[in-house]
Amino acid sequence: MVQAVLAVDQGTTNSKAALVTAAGHVLATASAPVGLSTPRPGWVEQDATDLWQSVLTTITTCLTTASSSSASVEVVAVALSTQRESVVGWDRSGEPVGPVLGWQDVRTAEWCAQLPSSVDDLVRRRTGLRVDAMFSAPKMRWLLDRSDAYVGTVDAWLIHRLTGCQEHLTEAGNASRTLLYDTLELDWSTELLEAFNVPRAALPDVRPSNAGFGVTKDVPGLADGIPIVAVLADSHAAMYGQGCTQAGMAKATYGTGSSVMTPVDGFVPSGCTLAWLTDRPMYALEGNIVSSGAALAWTADLLGLPNVGALTALAATVPSAEGVVLVPAFAGLGAPHWDREARAALTGMSSSTTRAHIARAAVDAVAHQICDITDTIPGTLSSLRADGGATVSELLMQTQADLLGHPVEAADVSEISALGVAELAWTTLGETTGWAGKRSFRTFEPEPDAGDRGRRRAEWAQAVASVRVRPA
């Protein structure tokens, strides 16, 4: 019998599951879509019950796939990777209260803008982040204004359900994205709870990333009593899976939005996050992009194309965007600009502009936004490790390398977040792993034309400046 960790990766648009051995071999995988709704401009919601059902579907399908193979599989532990910042509310019986407020949701932006500057100063000192509608605390306040509920990030909701509603726990890295967790003291901050008016009793207890989060109970297809050994936020799990643990290394996750992270030796009060907490905290500088994969999907719809793959294929038919620039500020700009009032723009078009040039501009926009963040990373960046669905595009990865002026190493697996948290689980169980060092990457070397790189970056900067409302 083969022993495996069941790694569940619950993301913005889908849930995935993978059975992973101690050697890092993936025995079976499954995925299921998760719906998003936008009932009003700037509102992004999910259904908590549908989200949970998508996780159950992936677990059942993954286990069924594995059982059809010649070797039987014993699930020795569960590991969990989840989307960050999104907030769920549920009552004491475990039933959801209201919608899941997605991380892209900006309904609280005006409320955030009205907070005194002293709150933002406190947030920066205690969390390394800044007040913004993307993070969890404003969303929690919105839900609590409308119901008497427990509130938590998606990891807390799934832990609650996986344990048969027995546990009310969250993982430290996920907690660090709420604006309520002191990443130096490693606990909920009384000052921040008061600033956002979130009662401590509504929040789950925080545990280190590998401290154990209860055992399974009443989960279809799984035996009761299987330990939930490790939990990580999805971007953090990708960083762990990519083996990015040294200064000079960075990873970019290309999803609906994007996250760029690079390890640092200690906490810094600007753009810092707690990647994970084991025997010691691992801090990272991070920049969050609001619209990357979403920008590609939007452009594909605009051009009447069936999917993003068709968009990148069309973009590859022209050598450049011929001066066309897309700034995908559909919900404002994230890092490093942080201007929620900025609005999207498509500029630089002429009578010779074609659909292919617009498609190419969309691809360029994703790469430019990554560069905007890497340009703020102190020191010298040796390379960028890339993961996420969009990395299948050779054009995007080559464009990224060209605009960075550094090599890009794209992961050879699509389940990098699931593998990252599975590796942490196996390490916690006492196994020696080091999977990232054995993994192969597709490497993209930059073209040597530094002059062209500078010109394209300048065009992008000018276009970004034109859509900004708040001063830089």
Side-chain angles (χ1 to χ4, degrees):
M1 180 174 287
V2 179
Q3 293 187 328
V5 164
L6 175 65
V8 175
D9 176 25
Q10 202 298 300
T12 306
T13 58
N14 58 65
S15 296
K16 299 178 181 179
L19 283 165
V20 188
T21 70
H25 299 312
V26 178
L27 301 177
T29 63
S31 66
V34 179
L36 287 170
S37 62
T38 53
R40 300 185 193 178
W43 291 33
V44 181
E45 299 179 352
Q46 294 180 295
D47 183 280
T49 300
D50 288 350
L51 190 152
W52 168 237
Q53 287 299 322
S54 75
V55 169
L56 291 181
T57 297
T58 61
I59 289 174
T60 302
T61 305
C62 189
L63 294 171
T64 300
T65 301
S67 67
S68 65
S69 65
S70 56
S72 58
V73 177
E74 177 191 6
V75 177
V76 296
V78 174
L80 188 59
S81 160
T82 61
Q83 59 172 303
R84 309 177 301 169
E85 293 112 14
S86 301
V87 173
V88 189
W90 61 94
D91 63 22
R92 284 162 177 75
S93 67
E95 291 301 311
V97 175
V100 179
L101 303 191
W103 61 267
Q104 315 101 307
D105 190 287
V106 292
R107 73 186 66 189
T108 61
E110 184 176 348
W111 184 83
C112 289
Q114 293 172 353
L115 290 172
S117 60
S118 59
V119 174
D120 190 58
D121 292 340
L122 176 65
V123 165
R124 290 172 189 256
R125 293 197 312 271
R126 298 286 190 230
T127 73
L129 306 175
R130 59 189 295 153
V131 173
D132 188 84
M134 182 181 77
F135 299 111
S136 308
K139 305 178 198 300
M140 290 177 173
R141 185 63 261 157
W142 191 92
L143 284 172
L144 289 168
D145 283 342
R146 289 155 180 81
S147 63
D148 178 20
Y150 294 120
V151 289
T153 43
V154 170
D155 67 312
W157 167 243
L158 293 182
I159 291 166
H160 186 66
R161 297 308 302 261
L162 286 167
T163 60
C165 301
Q166 299 298 304
E167 302 288 354
H168 191 39
L169 303 170
T170 192
E171 181 266 336
N174 277 286
S176 78
R177 306 296 293 179
T178 63
L179 305 184
L180 301 174
Y181 184 77
D182 189 318
T183 51
L184 281 172
E185 297 297 327
L186 302 176
D187 199 358
W188 298 121
S189 163
T190 301
E191 290 178 281
L192 290 170
L193 293 174
E194 291 176 352
F196 288 96
N197 193 24
V198 174
R200 172 64 185 86
L203 293 171
D205 293 334
V206 184
R207 287 192 177 176
S209 309
N210 62 347
F213 297 84
V215 298
T216 57
K217 186 176 187 297
D218 299 332
V219 180
L222 285 179
D224 288 353
I226 299 173
I228 304 171
V229 171
V231 176
L232 291 171
D234 53 5
S235 290
H236 307 182
M239 178 172 155
Y240 195 99
Q242 292 275 33
C244 286
T245 58
Q246 304 293 327
M249 302 178 71
K251 73 90 193 175
T253 298
Y254 296 77
T256 303
S258 286
S259 162
V260 182
M261 301 180 73
T262 185
V264 288
D265 291 332
F267 174 80
V268 291
S270 179
C272 190
T273 197
L274 177 66
W276 54 79
L277 176 61
T278 52
D279 57 333
R280 64 182 182 87
M282 170 60 77
Y283 296 102
L285 292 177
E286 180 177 15
N288 298 104
I289 295 163
V290 177
S291 182
S292 54
L296 298 177
W298 177 87
T299 309
D301 287 343
L302 178 72
L303 298 178
L305 297 170
N307 51 48
V308 169
L311 177 81
T312 56
L314 176 62
T317 64
V318 292
S320 75
E322 290 294 335
V324 178
V325 179
L326 170 65
V327 183
F330 302 113
L333 293 169
H337 312 289
W338 291 112
D339 186 350
R340 284 296 192 171
E341 298 178 50
R343 286 298 173 261
L346 187 60
T347 68
M349 290 185 291
S350 69
S351 59
S352 62
T353 297
T354 68
R355 295 165 70 249
H357 293 127
I358 295 171
R360 187 69 182 243
V363 173
D364 289 350
V366 175
H368 276 299
Q369 290 182 100
I370 298 291
C371 291
D372 285 350
I373 295 174
T374 59
D375 285 349
T376 68
I377 295 175
T380 301
L381 184 67
S382 58
S383 67
L384 181 74
R385 288 190 171 176
D387 59 82
T391 60
V392 300
S393 169
E394 302 273 323
L395 175 63
L396 175 58
M397 293 295 95
Q398 187 60 57
T399 300
Q400 190 69 79
D402 293 346
L403 291 176
L404 277 174
H406 296 291
V408 171
E409 298 175 325
D412 61 348
V413 291
S414 58
E415 303 89 3
I416 194 68
S417 291
L419 284 171
V421 76
E423 183 169 8
L424 176 60
W426 275 116
T427 301
T428 304
L429 293 171
E431 297 291 336
T432 301
T433 54
W435 300 344
K438 306 169 187 176
R439 187 168 294 129
S440 61
F441 296 89
R442 292 153 41 234
T443 302
F444 298 84
E445 297 289 344
E447 297 294 332
D449 191 344
D452 180 64
R453 183 181 307 127
R455 176 188 59 77
R456 293 168 68 186
R457 293 290 291 142
E459 286 180 349
W460 168 259
Q462 183 178 15
V464 170
S466 72
V467 306
R468 295 199 62 162
V469 175
R470 294 187 178 184

